[in-house]
Amino acid sequence: MKAIETGVVQYAGQGPGTASQAVSLPIWLVLAGNLLMGTSLWLIAAGGMGAKLILLGFWIAMLCAYARPVRITPGLLAGSLALAGLIGVIATGNGASIEKLRLIGNLLMLPVGLLVGLMIGRDSLRVMMPVLVVYLLLSSSFQMTHEGLRLNQPFLFLGLFALCSVVRWRGCRLLAAGSALAVLLSQTRIAVLAMLVNLIGMIRFSRAMTWLVGMAALAVAGWFAMSHLPRLFLTHGSGRLAFWQDFWGMWQGGSVGQRWLGFGTGSVEEILSGYQSFASFGALHNDHFRMLFETGITGAILWSAGWIVMLWTLRHARLAVSILLSVMLTMVTDNTLNYGHYLVCCGMVAGIAARKGPYHG
């Protein structure tokens, strides 16, 4: 439902589907933006809301500064109403105020990123990409687990790969290959699958060379993964299914009000803290189910409606649709709503792609 706030933005005086004039950001603003984005990235490890407040606050300020007159389209209106409705369900439901604010902020990340891509265009990449590359180079490391070495921060690398989908800088293909390798080395299966969905949106399948090179590259990547990344092919249980079933039983056993309006924001973490065997997970690892559990059938309907509006409105841009589907996919087995920088990156890419047409941003 971060995906809710959309509709292809149409500027006054322009026809449907026409891309607006790209914004050229002054160098001082690009430098200041890199500084603030770097601060927000380094605050991730500190926890709390500081990192997300800086991230969201900066891009909302950018939208306010560079917004253009817009025509209200049916998609924009429907998406805005769905988002407002879901925020209303969260705000008036049960749960601590801080938890409500955190969830609302998380829901805004992708819509804000999308509007940045639509209104500002590729120049927004100058603010996000350089500092993200530097941060990943300085902070990434391999961690020893019982399943072998794994590279950390898979979703930031996945966000960088998404940004590479629309960048036109020299060396962008090498950067895309490096970020793709990093996602593979993380051995995070859902991130690898999401990257493949993203890749589908980037490829022009009508070219014979695409098939020849693509099949060879896929064969090499498959051999490398099978030989050196065994976790990607393991079928062991992670324990998620067990507590999904447990929470499903709680939801079914709830009152009528709880089933329709949810158990309240933050209830998942509160319940998990009381389960010794589940406490280590910290979250439900399924954002779609979490929205049903915490906001009920009403919230789940609004959440689903938002995704449908988003996908239908951006259907003219295959890359934008692929990016959104990849985000939806990660939400099946992970806590993607908590990954603000990843969501903003994906929103930017979808917005930039929607400006141009069916293949690229």
Side-chain angles (χ1 to χ4, degrees):
M1 171 85 218
K2 308 153 306 320
I4 296 189
E5 173 94 349
T6 82
V8 174
V9 177
Q10 297 178 4
Y11 292 77
Q14 295 182 331
T18 302
S20 62
Q21 183 178 0
V23 172
S24 180
L25 302 177
I27 187 63
W28 68 266
L29 184 55
V30 172
L31 294 175
N34 273 271
L35 179 62
L36 287 173
M37 291 302 96
T39 302
S40 70
L41 285 165
W42 284 106
L43 284 175
I44 291 176
M49 296 178 62
K52 293 179 181 179
L53 285 174
I54 294 174
L55 176 67
L56 195 59
F58 173 80
W59 288 114
I60 289 178
M62 291 286 285
L63 288 174
C64 292
Y66 288 94
R68 300 290 187 270
V70 298
R71 182 187 310 164
I72 302 299
T73 66
L76 179 60
L77 179 61
S80 299
L81 290 175
L83 179 59
L86 183 55
I87 290 175
V89 171
I90 294 169
T92 58
N94 296 325
S97 297
I98 188 66
E99 295 299 331
K100 293 178 180 179
L101 289 175
R102 180 178 288 111
L103 180 55
I104 290 171
N106 291 343
L107 289 171
L108 290 174
M109 291 293 179
L110 189 57
V112 167
L114 174 69
L115 292 176
V116 167
L118 285 168
M119 293 185 175
I120 298 177
R122 280 203 181 92
D123 229 34
S124 60
L125 301 176
R126 297 168 60 203
V127 175
M128 181 62 77
M129 282 194 70
V131 70
L132 180 58
V133 172
V134 172
Y135 175 79
L136 287 172
L137 287 174
L138 294 177
S139 64
S140 299
S141 61
F142 285 93
Q143 300 174 340
M144 177 59 73
T145 70
H146 66 282
E147 296 166 330
L149 286 174
R150 298 176 60 189
L151 190 62
N152 65 347
Q153 303 180 133
F155 284 89
L156 286 180
F157 279 111
L158 187 58
L160 179 59
F161 181 82
L163 292 175
C164 290
S165 304
V166 293
V167 76
R168 295 294 180 266
W169 303 339
R170 181 177 299 177
C172 65
R173 292 185 178 180
L174 288 176
L175 185 59
S179 56
L181 179 61
V183 174
L184 285 174
L185 292 176
S186 75
Q187 301 198 63
T188 304
R189 284 166 289 190
I190 198 65
V192 173
L193 290 174
M195 182 175 66
L196 293 176
V197 174
N198 183 172
L199 190 61
I200 291 173
M202 299 167 59
I203 296 174
R204 296 197 180 192
F205 292 99
S206 59
R207 295 177 176 176
M209 187 58 68
T210 297
W211 288 96
L212 293 174
V213 176
M215 293 300 292
L218 187 62
V220 171
W223 169 82
F224 176 79
M226 293 183 67
S227 301
H228 303 284
L229 306 174
R231 185 182 185 275
L232 292 176
F233 301 93
L234 292 178
T235 57
H236 67 283
S238 64
R240 289 177 172 86
L241 183 59
F243 66 82
W244 289 345
Q245 292 173 334
D246 197 47
F247 273 82
W248 177 248
M250 292 181 198
W251 184 82
Q252 287 184 312
S255 66
V256 173
Q258 287 174 324
R259 288 198 297 273
W260 277 97
L261 297 175
F263 285 72
T265 308
S267 58
V268 167
E269 287 78 6
E270 182 180 352
I271 293 171
L272 282 173
S273 66
Y275 283 75
Q276 184 175 1
S277 59
F278 291 162
S280 60
F281 286 96
L284 197 54
H285 287 267
N286 187 322
D287 286 327
H288 303 297
F289 186 18
R290 175 189 175 186
M291 295 307 299
L292 173 65
F293 191 86
E294 294 193 346
T295 65
I297 296 174
T298 303
I301 290 173
L302 292 169
W303 167 267
S304 301
W307 282 106
I308 293 170
V309 168
M310 167 72 85
L311 292 169
W312 176 256
T313 305
L314 300 185
R315 66 189 184 281
H316 69 286
R318 180 156 57 89
L319 177 56
V321 171
S322 295
I323 287 291
L324 297 180
L325 290 176
S326 71
V327 174
M328 290 179 65
L329 179 63
T330 64
M331 291 182 173
V332 175
T333 63
D334 219 303
N335 312 305
T336 309
L337 274 174
N338 294 329
Y339 307 148
H341 293 81
Y342 166 67
L343 294 174
V344 168
C345 287
C346 289
M348 284 181 179
V349 175
I352 293 170
R355 292 168 62 94
K356 292 295 184 181
Y359 293 108
H360 299 289

